[in-house]
Amino acid sequence: MRPKRRFPILSTFLLIFLAGSLAAQAAAQKPSPILVSYSFDDGKTDTGPDTFSVFRNARGNVQLSNAFRLSGYQSVEIQDVAGDKDFPELQGYFPVRGDGWLVVHFALLVVDPREELNVALAGPGGFRLAKDGMALWLATRDGELIHTSDSMPKRLLSLKPFTWYGIDVDYDVARGRYDLRVFEEGIEKPVLSLENQPNATSQPGSAVSVFSFIGDNMDDLSNVTYYVDDVVVATDRDIVLPRFIAPGRRKFFVETAAVPPPSRDAHAQPEPEALRLERQGDEAFRQRDLKEAKRLYEQALPTSEEKERLLLKLADVSFLLGDLKTEKALREKIFGSLDPR
């Protein structure tokens, strides 16, 4: 068994990960520019619609691990299995950015760089090469780290196995261009530094709102195992983020997905009973009659065509009732879990 290792601080790029006290001081003076910050050591690993989702598809896996970590005592292990017709994924969310700067930092360790992995930053258009689709696309191919810029894959450097690399991206959203720096453990200066690179599709103003770490998404040939730590997404513009109400989200799901009033059209089809019950549950929730809301949601669930929506509303109710174990279990039915399995 390979012994656990702890590594020295790589470079000044890591200061953003270790600057919790400085961030707290700055927060007292102005709104924090931090959109996402995951060290995977602070207990903030609950999945949800405003944080991240975990997809443990087929035989692949995504879980917390203390085998390798850059800081603290845990990182996320992502493991793909060739031939299982799917891929594992850690997918994170933040408010849509259509202009300004976006600063992205994360650390990466690959067991065997010859195996394929993919990291992407994308927008509302999803993970495709199109406007508001992929803005940043990093991957490994035959031991090389590559990035796709102006729709063309380009070699960056050869990766070493069992070695932490710090990835530092400054993305000018309006111009559709980014600066990229890569740090290697034990080396103070960047081992790679590029400036003014066209985004993946060379599309100025391509919005971004999601990041993704996966294995092989094309040929299903990858047996990659790799580790991700210290993920930070920030902006240099002053922003005010909504406060977190419960772990894994910034708003109650009932407030963002309430059932609209029934149609007044005399020729409209009769409303499904499950939809009527859900609307009544929404009203009970707004009045904080939580037991009645829970009863109505549970009554609607068996016949509803929107079971995921109802499960998330039941998670809201469980949170307000103080049943955090049930709240977490319901949310993870939809968004997955980082708990080891």
Side-chain angles (χ1 to χ4, degrees), residues 148-161:
T148 296
S149 175
D150 195 13
S151 301
M152 296 292 294
K154 303 172 183 179
R155 177 189 178 277
L156 296 174
L157 75 162
S158 298
L159 293 179
K160 299 174 183 177

Side-chain angles (χ1 to χ4, degrees), residues 8-321:
I9 293 176
L10 304 183
S11 61
T12 54
F13 123 89
L14 286 177
L15 291 177
I16 191 168
F17 302 140
L18 306 176
S21 59
L22 294 178
Q25 295 175 20
Q29 302 172 2
K30 62 180 182 180
S32 170
I34 302 297
L35 299 176
V36 170
S37 179
Y38 303 134
S39 69
F40 306 110
D41 298 308
D42 52 13
K44 297 177 181 178
T45 55
D46 287 317
T47 56
D50 288 321
T51 53
F52 58 89
S53 293
V54 173
F55 302 96
R56 291 165 160 170
N57 296 323
R59 289 181 288 165
N61 196 20
V62 182
Q63 65 180 3
L64 292 174
S65 172
N66 60 11
F68 299 94
R69 63 276 190 196
L70 181 66
S71 64
Y73 57 93
Q74 289 187 126
S75 64
V76 170
E77 178 188 76
I78 300 172
Q79 186 176 40
D80 203 352
V81 177
D84 66 352
K85 300 180 181 180
D86 215 327
F87 55 85
E89 181 175 16
L90 174 68
Q91 188 176 110
Y93 318 114
F94 53 90
V96 176
R97 303 293 299 175
D99 59 11
W101 284 86
L102 201 70
V103 181
V104 181
H105 304 267
F106 63 92
L108 184 75
L109 179 148
V110 187
V111 172
D112 184 351
R114 295 171 299 179
E115 300 287 351
E116 180 181 342
L117 64 86
N118 292 268
V119 178
L121 180 71
F127 295 98
R128 58 193 183 94
L129 291 174
K131 180 69 179 295
D132 296 336
M134 286 204 290
L136 175 72
W137 184 5
L138 298 173
T140 56
R141 302 287 190 274
D142 300 320
E144 305 288 329
L145 180 67
I146 67 172
H147 74 143
T148 296
S149 175
D150 195 13
S151 301
M152 296 292 294
K154 303 172 183 179
R155 177 189 178 277
L156 296 174
L157 75 162
S158 298
L159 293 179
K160 299 174 183 177
F162 297 101
T163 301
W164 279 108
Y165 290 90
I167 312 296
D168 184 347
V169 179
D170 295 331
Y171 179 46
D172 187 336
V173 181
R175 293 179 59 239
R177 290 182 172 262
Y178 60 84
D179 299 339
L180 172 66
R181 292 173 297 282
V182 180
F183 297 83
E184 182 180 320
E185 66 170 89
I187 300 176
E188 182 67 22
K189 294 183 179 180
V191 293
L192 176 88
S193 183
L194 299 176
E195 296 183 352
N196 202 34
Q197 301 296 297
N199 64 18
T201 54
S202 197
Q203 292 272 5
S206 192
V208 287
S209 59
V210 61
F211 59 86
S212 172
F213 297 89
I214 68 170
D216 169 9
N217 69 336
M218 299 291 287
D219 300 320
D220 198 18
L221 299 175
S222 180
N223 285 301
V224 71
T225 297
Y226 69 104
Y227 298 82
V228 175
D229 205 354
D230 294 332
V231 177
V232 176
V233 179
T235 171
D236 62 347
R237 301 181 66 190
D238 290 342
I239 57 172
V240 179
L241 291 178
R243 70 182 181 88
F244 280 94
I245 291 179
R249 61 181 179 273
R250 296 185 180 94
K251 298 178 180 178
F252 288 122
F253 198 77
V254 174
E255 297 171 353
T256 61
V259 176
S263 173
R264 295 185 177 181
D265 185 351
H267 302 289
Q269 293 291 325
E271 183 178 59
E273 177 71 2
L275 205 60
R276 182 185 66 81
L277 290 168
E278 184 179 353
R279 183 186 300 107
Q280 292 176 348
D282 292 347
E283 182 58 31
F285 183 92
R286 281 190 286 268
Q287 296 177 10
R288 290 301 187 265
D289 188 348
L290 300 176
K291 291 183 178 180
E292 177 66 4
K294 182 174 184 290
R295 184 188 70 81
L296 289 163
Y297 290 149
E298 288 178 341
Q299 189 175 345
L301 186 60
T303 58
S304 174
E305 296 182 356
E306 300 289 346
K307 287 183 169 53
E308 290 188 359
R309 186 172 70 195
L310 278 165
L311 288 172
L312 289 171
K313 290 181 178 182
L314 282 167
D316 285 345
V317 171
S318 296
F319 171 76
L320 289 175
L321 288 172

